[in-house]
Every structure is written in C-alpha cells, then in structure tokens.
Amino acid sequence: MESNSKKLLVICGPTATGKTQLGFRLAKQFNGEIVSADSRQVYKYMDIGTGKEWDDEIKIWGYDLVDPKESYSVSDYFREMKIVIEDVWSRNKLPIIVGGTGLYIKSLVDGIPTVDIPKNENLRKSLEKISIEEMFDKLAVLDSSKAASLNSSDSKNSRRLIRAIEVAVWNIENSTQKKVVEKRENILDKNVDVLMIGLSANQNLLLKNIKNRVEKRMNEGFIDEVEMLLQIGVSWKNQSMNTLGYKESESFFKEGLTYEEFIYGWERNEMKYIKRQLTWFKKDKRIVWFEISEIDYLKNVANYVDKWYS
C-alpha cells in the first residue's frame, strides 16, 4: 500500500460465519492487521465464551481492553481503535475491521455524532433506580423522535436507553450542540477508501455452526471460565456478563437449569442475535455480500479485495 493512500477493509455479518478466519487469511495476503469489532471480546479473561481467536503471524487489536467488572462504551472503543488504525496506516499496513457489532463498525467507518458527549454519572445512578418502561417514557419526553426510532430490542435495553437519555439531556443543556457536531471529526477523511465485505449463510448452516460452536466452547472449558470470573469478583449484574452464553449460564448456576435446557437456551438466543445483526447490516447498501457455502467463496472474496486494494 502506498504511503499516501489510506484503505480500510471491513469484514462484517452475523456470528458463526467465519469472519475472523477470513480476516487472518486476507491479512496475510494484503499485509494487514486485524481490528476486532466485537463488543464482548474487549473484556479480559472472557476468552472461551466470546470466541477469541489468534494467529501467530497476525497482530489483532481490540481484545482484552478492559476488566470485566468495568463498563465499556462505543465511545471508549472508538477512541482506542482510532489511535490503533492511525498507527496501522502509519506503518503502511492495511487495517481490517472484523466483527459483528454493528455500532462499533459504524463508529469507525462513519463516526457517531454523540461519541464525544461525556458520561453523566449522577444521571446514570438515578436512572438505574427506575424501570425500563419509566426510562422509555422519560426518553419520549426528552427526545420523542429518538424514542420513536428505537426498535423493540433497543427500547427494552437499559444501557441503550440510559445513553439516549444522557445524550438528550446533554443536548438540552448545550444549545450550541449542533455547531459542536459539525466540527467533530471521525476517523475517516475524504482520502480513505473503505471496502465492506459481508458474510452470509442460510439458516440451516448458521444453526449447525452455532450448535458446533457452543459444543466446542463447552469442551474447551466454558463453565470453568464462568466460575473463574465469579471467583475474581465479576457479578452477574456487570455489563460483561450480559453476553450470550454467560447470561444463560446464570440460571444454570443459580436456578438448577438442566444442562440440556442451558444449551438449548444459549443456541436459541444466538439465532435471535443473528436476526438482529442481519437487520442491522442489511440496511447498509455499501456492503458486498458473499455466501460462505459457495465452493469458491474464499477465492472470490480474495479476488474482489485484490482488485480494490490494487
């Protein structure tokens, strides 16, 4: 890659489609480094359940950024990875963003106008004492258009609601906010060339991959990992434990859920998550989709990236 050009490759799509392995393969071919865009792989000690993968030849960023007892926001991620990507470019390498957390990818590719709006700890503490319904009603009063734009999942997500209220309050208190947003910079300037590759698969293949992956994680010691996290003081209430696999295991540990019920619940919720991911990514018309069940899909992706990169 020439020193005066900035290229950014994104590999996105639903979970269990082999994004990281494709990322490693392309990183070797195009002198790249991986930037994980997974909102759960940022946590230390949570390796098995979040599916962290490594390759001795390729540097991967975005793992193990924060203690699982701490909260971590898209703003935190944006600030850290912005520095990382600039560093990768400075060494004439290709940053390859790999992951399924749509908001993380959006923050890097498009920027998020609210990313610089600070946390309001006093407001957060007061909001944590009220119900989800009351939070939503509060947001509707403060910013009716934002409340109306939330999908059914986000409207029941306390973390998303708290952040939306926080932003709405900040906007009201800072009447010059629009001027600030106009000046705000995101990671990409006009000289950055972005290619977004999406991986897709049919429902049967995805379900098969999910079942195989859950079985693999259990065999690798997932239950031991959860026990270790609890022993070092991580609470079920921590943001990190609201993660597929970990959150289903709470009932397994505390309420006598059978092994079969636990596994079934985990697999079912993974499939529900895939639907939410696809709803998010299908809205972005820049994404070039590849079907992973096609025989030559790896070669086709590599050829497509090669034409863009060259």
Side-chain angles (χ1 to χ4, degrees):
M1 186 166 61
E2 294 175 14
S3 58
N4 61 354
S5 69
K6 287 183 178 178
K7 287 182 179 282
L8 187 69
L9 177 61
V10 178
I11 301 170
C12 61
T15 194
T17 48
K19 295 184 294 294
T20 304
Q21 285 302 315
L22 174 63
F24 288 142
R25 185 178 176 129
L26 295 175
K28 289 170 187 172
Q29 188 171 345
F30 299 104
N31 190 29
E33 294 183 7
I34 304 293
V35 177
S36 167
D38 185 308
S39 63
R40 291 304 179 245
Q41 292 177 343
V42 300
Y43 294 108
K44 296 174 183 174
Y45 321 123
M46 297 174 74
D47 299 343
I48 298 170
T50 65
K52 289 175 191 167
E53 298 178 72
W54 288 268
D55 187 299
D56 292 339
E57 296 175 47
I58 302 299
K59 175 69 182 172
I60 186 160
W61 304 89
Y63 286 176
D64 304 337
L65 303 176
V66 66
D67 188 279
K69 295 189 282 289
E70 304 292 324
S71 291
Y72 194 79
S73 70
V74 67
S75 306
D76 298 322
Y77 174 82
F78 171 82
R79 290 190 187 95
E80 291 197 54
M81 294 305 105
K82 184 177 190 293
I83 293 167
V84 164
I85 289 173
E86 293 287 0
D87 173 61
V88 175
W89 277 331
S90 76
R91 291 181 282 109
N92 293 326
K93 290 196 159 199
L94 174 67
I96 305 175
I97 301 171
V98 177
T101 302
L103 199 57
Y104 274 24
I105 293 170
K106 180 177 172 58
S107 76
L108 296 176
V109 173
D110 299 318
I112 293 178
T114 59
V115 82
D116 288 339
I117 293 177
K119 290 179 186 175
N120 183 331
E121 295 298 346
N122 291 333
L123 176 64
R124 289 187 172 213
K125 282 174 187 169
S126 68
L127 290 172
E128 283 166 3
K129 295 172 185 171
I130 66 176
S131 69
I132 295 282
E133 292 76 16
E134 288 171 312
M135 277 187 211
F136 184 80
D137 290 344
K138 192 174 186 70
L139 176 62
V141 171
L142 292 166
D143 187 344
S144 58
S145 61
K146 177 65 178 176
S149 74
L150 295 177
N151 62 34
S152 60
S153 173
D154 286 347
S155 66
K156 297 181 184 73
N157 184 317
S158 61
R159 203 156 47 87
R160 293 270 166 88
L161 287 171
I162 288 170
R163 180 57 180 167
I165 292 168
E166 193 171 56
V167 169
V169 168
W170 192 91
N171 284 343
I172 291 165
E173 291 174 351
N174 295 268
S175 56
T176 59
Q177 190 262 346
K178 284 187 178 174
K179 293 175 186 173
V180 177
V181 169
E182 284 166 13
K183 292 177 186 173
R184 212 167 273 150
E185 291 180 14
N186 62 28
I187 196 164
L188 301 178
D189 57 37
K190 289 173 185 175
N191 298 323
V192 177
D193 181 9
V194 184
L195 174 62
M196 300 181 78
I197 297 290
L199 303 186
S200 64
N202 65 54
Q203 288 288 105
N204 290 337
L205 179 56
L206 286 170
L207 181 58
K208 180 186 168 190
N209 288 353
I210 289 293
K211 285 178 176 291
N212 289 341
R213 197 167 76 165
V214 169
E215 183 181 7
K216 179 173 179 279
R217 290 178 185 182
M218 292 300 289
N219 291 338
E220 286 173 349
F222 173 70
I223 294 298
D224 292 337
E225 182 172 87
V226 176
E227 286 179 336
M228 176 272 296
L229 290 165
L230 296 172
Q231 284 167 7
I232 63 172
V234 180
S235 160
W236 295 111
K237 294 179 181 176
N238 286 130
Q239 178 187 329
S240 60
M241 295 297 267
N242 185 30
T243 296
L244 289 167
Y246 299 91
K247 66 180 178 182
E248 288 81 10
S249 71
E250 182 177 5
S251 297
F252 181 65
F253 274 83
K254 291 164 65 175
E255 295 164 23
L257 201 70
T258 68
Y259 180 85
E260 289 75 18
E261 288 169 333
F262 160 52
I263 296 298
Y264 174 75
W266 184 357
E267 291 171 353
R268 184 190 60 199
N269 289 336
E270 289 274 5
M271 292 304 290
K272 286 181 179 176
Y273 179 52
I274 283 173
K275 285 182 182 174
R276 295 198 299 274
Q277 287 177 303
L278 284 170
T279 299
W280 174 286
F281 288 121
K282 290 293 183 181
K283 289 177 186 170
D284 195 330
K285 301 307 176 191
R286 296 170 296 185
I287 298 173
V288 181
W289 291 93
F290 289 86
E291 173 68 44
I292 66 169
S293 60
E294 290 182 2
I295 296 168
D296 288 335
Y297 118 84
L298 287 170
K299 192 169 109 181
N300 293 340
V301 172
N303 289 340
Y304 196 93
V305 173
D306 188 37
K307 284 178 188 172
W308 163 80
Y309 188 73
S310 302

